[in-house]
Amino acid sequence: MASLRCPRCGGETDARFAFCHACGQTLRPPPERTCAGCGAKLEPSFRFCGYCGRPADPAPPGPPRPPADPAAERPGRSTPEPRAVEAAERPVAGALRLVAMRHDGVAGTAHPLGPAPLVCGRGAGHVRFDEDPTVDPEHARFTARDGAAWVEDLGTVNGTFVRLRAPRPLSSGDELRLGRQLLKLEAMPRPPDGDGARPWGSADPGYRARLSQLLEGGGTGEVFPLRDGENTVGRELANVAFPGDRYVSARHARIDVGEAAIVVADLGSSNGTFVRITGPTRVAAGDQVLIGMQLVRLE
């Protein structure tokens, strides 16, 4: 008769059962869910869509958990009282938690946000990314106050970035993360008026700003002037193109240059557009934050 091996304890269980007889671990993956708003795939633990922020529809109920079998308990293994486990795992109503995302998109450990600050870092803090050299020892701090959540960069080398969920105005000096690209927006000076001497160079075609590609180690790569109006950023068929970066969508983002403001918007990209924060920034459930090369999400 066919059997399944438990990924937690390694025990063998009849394939007709949905749970391991020894430890109770589920043996069948839950049904796949998609967002009713944008169609993106949702992981089993997601309560909000990571792309559009829409609350996820409740997952269909799984098979009933088998009753505890005292004979299946292993010698020397202590089992907490059911009431104690239930009380420890019960979420606080309205509370947020920070979830570290693995590189394969699976949700990792969740850390509840409470009155005390929650620090992310390498070698220090409550949420640690010890193997990522792009993370500072103490990188970002999350706090919950006044009924809201806030994230703050702790003066790091590589910064802390929040994923765009709506169009956002930019200022000269702001930095963007798209795929593997780090880009800096810089305002360009207007040509002088009057009868004064003009600097040498081609006629100004109307550029108002530019995007500079920042390289690892602090160097500057390509520079892309931005015209008035719409400027698209992507892997192909874009005003600012990165054809060699497979993490950049074909049409990834748009930067609109106007008289009053410069605004960036994500165009439904797979990996998102992130803006570097320059001070304490309010975040909400569904927001995603880049810490070095690590992605965390608020639930």
Side-chain angles (χ1 to χ4, degrees):
M1 183 176 296
S3 62
L4 298 175
R5 180 177 294 276
C6 175
R8 175 189 289 174
C9 69
E12 296 285 344
T13 300
D14 190 317
R16 294 174 297 176
F17 292 92
F19 294 89
C20 174
H21 288 171
C23 67
Q25 168 74 17
T26 181
L27 300 176
R28 297 178 184 171
E32 183 176 296
R33 295 190 298 158
T34 57
C35 175
C38 66
K41 181 180 177 181
L42 298 176
E43 296 296 333
S45 62
F46 283 21
R47 292 190 295 166
F48 294 87
C49 176
Y51 295 100
C52 68
R54 177 190 176 99
D57 294 331
R65 192 179 184 89
D69 182 5
E73 294 295 334
R74 295 184 175 181
R77 181 178 178 181
S78 60
T79 302
E81 291 294 330
R83 291 179 182 271
V85 173
E86 182 182 355
E89 296 180 352
R90 187 182 301 126
V92 179
L96 288 173
R97 60 180 188 168
L98 190 69
V99 180
M101 304 299 298
R102 293 178 4 192
H103 290 292
D104 57 4
V106 176
T109 306
H111 305 266
L113 286 182
L118 190 68
V119 176
C120 302
R122 175 172 50 87
H126 309 89
V127 185
R128 294 173 57 173
F129 305 106
D130 293 342
E131 304 300 322
D132 190 342
T134 65
V135 177
D136 274 48
E138 292 189 350
H139 197 108
R141 178 170 56 228
F142 289 82
T143 54
R145 65 178 187 272
D146 303 327
W150 300 79
V151 59
E152 181 180 4
D153 184 78
L154 299 177
T156 62
V157 174
N158 294 312
T160 301
F161 293 74
V162 175
R163 183 171 182 169
L164 285 179
R165 297 175 67 177
R168 169 175 169 165
L170 295 175
S171 301
S172 182
D174 281 348
E175 295 181 11
L176 306 174
R177 286 270 298 267
L178 298 85
R180 297 298 186 190
Q181 306 303 318
L182 177 59
L183 307 172
K184 184 176 183 178
L185 178 75
E186 299 173 301
M188 294 179 64
R190 287 293 193 180
D193 297 324
D195 298 330
R198 297 176 61 88
W200 178 260
S202 301
D204 180 12
Y207 296 131
R208 297 281 309 283
R210 64 189 175 197
L211 278 180
S212 297
Q213 181 189 39
L214 303 183
L215 305 178
E216 183 177 350
T220 301
E222 294 187 75
V223 177
F224 304 90
L226 303 177
R227 295 179 179 274
D228 286 342
E230 179 180 299
N231 300 265
T232 54
V233 184
R235 194 176 63 250
E236 54 190 43
L237 301 177
N239 305 105
V240 180
F242 302 99
D245 190 339
R246 61 190 180 92
Y247 296 98
V248 174
S249 296
R251 295 185 77 252
H252 196 110
R254 186 183 72 239
I255 298 177
D256 295 326
V257 179
E259 287 291 336
I262 300 176
V263 178
V264 60
D266 187 80
L267 297 178
S269 64
S270 299
N271 296 310
T273 301
F274 293 78
V275 180
R276 184 170 185 168
I277 62 174
T278 56
T281 301
R282 184 167 179 167
V283 286
D287 278 340
Q288 298 180 10
V289 181
L290 269 177
I291 298 172
M293 297 297 294
Q294 306 301 319
L295 181 66
V296 299
R297 186 185 68 240
L298 279 168
E299 292 184 348

